[in-house]
Each structure stands twice: as C-alpha cells, then as structure tokens.
Amino acid sequence: MTEQRQPAGDHGGLPSAFNPPGQAPERLEARRRRPPFQGWGTAVFGAVVTAVVGTALHSQNLYAEDASYPWGAAAALLFALAVMVWAGLNARNVLIAGLTGVLSYVLVGLMALAPGTEPLIVTGTSAAVELPIAVAGRIWIIGLVPATLAAMLVCIWALKPRPAKA
C-alpha cells in the first residue's frame, strides 16, 4: 500500500499553490496565549479612575419643584461602564473588564464605609425623609454590579472573532 505524504507547515498540509485564492493561512501569532497578568495594570488604573471620578460625580442632583433627579449617579454609572469596556478592549480580555468592575466596587465600598472618618458616599441617614443624596449613593453603589456585567457583555460581543469576508 502506498501512503500519501503532504508537506507540513502553516498551510494545513498543502503547499501554498493549493490554497484557494483569498484564503490566507492561519497565523500562529493569533493563536498564542497572552501572559496571565497582562492587562492588570489597566484594570487597576481604570478602577481607581472610575471610583474617584464616579464618587465625585454621583452626588449631583437636579432639583425641580418638589422632586430630585440623581443625574450624577446615572452619569457616574455610564462613565464606569465606558472605563470598564475600555479596559477590557485595551487588554483584549473580557475578564479585565470584570476585574476593573470588581476593583471599582471594592474601592467605592471603602469610600462608603470610610472607617474612622466621614464617608464620601452617603447611603442612608437617620432622617425621617429619604434624602436625595442617599438615593444617589445607593444607585451608584448598587449600579456598579449591572454596569460590570454589561461591560463584560459588550467586551464579549466586541472581541468575538468575525468570519473573514471574501
């Protein structure tokens, strides 16, 4: 019995003359794994920026007649979402977006607890009436969880491999 042999290489075993036109061989660089800690600096930087800017922004309220609208908390969450997506896409890793969100949540939690000093984020008071700043603080803290999940979904969608167009 005869055994057919084909040259080995990056072309699926076929010489380059046998590859269909427009179909490039898969590059080895695209399949290599990234180092395990690549992007962690981006995540830490993004988390610190998110926590500081979001905490400064979340307390902005719009007062109209007898109502209060916490537009600053919504803007802070939108900013946090944008930073998390940036971190994930910059590192080309969905988990970096999640790590940015988790670190942001930890830093914001520390700002809300502020052991030994006055907290930067008010989430509740002993007042009989619900204060608008407390509502904004709860929106900011609780809203980081869905913002992190949304950022990870956006990164999953954006980093998904696309089929090559002919």
Side-chain angles (χ1 to χ4, degrees):
M1 298 216 155
T2 61
E3 184 178 320
Q4 287 185 338
R5 292 208 239 167
Q6 295 180 354
D10 293 338
H11 308 289
L14 297 175
S16 60
F18 291 106
N19 285 330
Q23 180 182 2
E26 186 179 349
R27 301 184 136 219
L28 289 177
E29 293 87 21
R31 291 188 291 178
R32 287 193 183 137
R33 292 185 57 122
R34 294 180 170 265
F37 296 109
Q38 184 173 356
W40 283 43
T42 304
V44 170
F45 174 76
V48 170
V49 169
T50 297
V52 170
V53 173
T55 299
L57 184 61
H58 90 278
S59 62
Q60 303 299 315
N61 289 319
L62 174 67
Y63 296 98
E65 298 190 18
D66 291 338
S68 170
Y69 302 100
W71 70 270
L77 290 173
L78 187 62
F79 177 75
L81 175 72
V83 170
M84 289 179 229
V85 169
W86 169 80
L89 294 180
N90 188 30
R92 303 195 54 78
N93 190 345
V94 175
L95 295 178
I96 295 300
L99 180 63
T100 305
V102 168
L103 291 175
S104 298
Y105 193 79
V106 168
L107 291 173
V108 166
L110 289 173
M111 290 179 190
L113 293 176
T117 63
E118 292 293 322
L120 294 173
I121 302 170
V122 178
T123 57
T125 63
S126 60
V129 178
E130 187 71 34
L131 296 178
I133 193 70
V135 173
R138 282 197 300 273
I139 290 172
W140 170 227
I141 291 176
I142 295 170
L144 276 174
V145 174
T148 301
L149 295 175
M152 290 178 72
L153 289 175
V154 168
C155 287
I156 287 171
W157 174 80
L159 295 174
K160 178 175 57 172
R162 307 275 191 252
K165 293 185 179 182

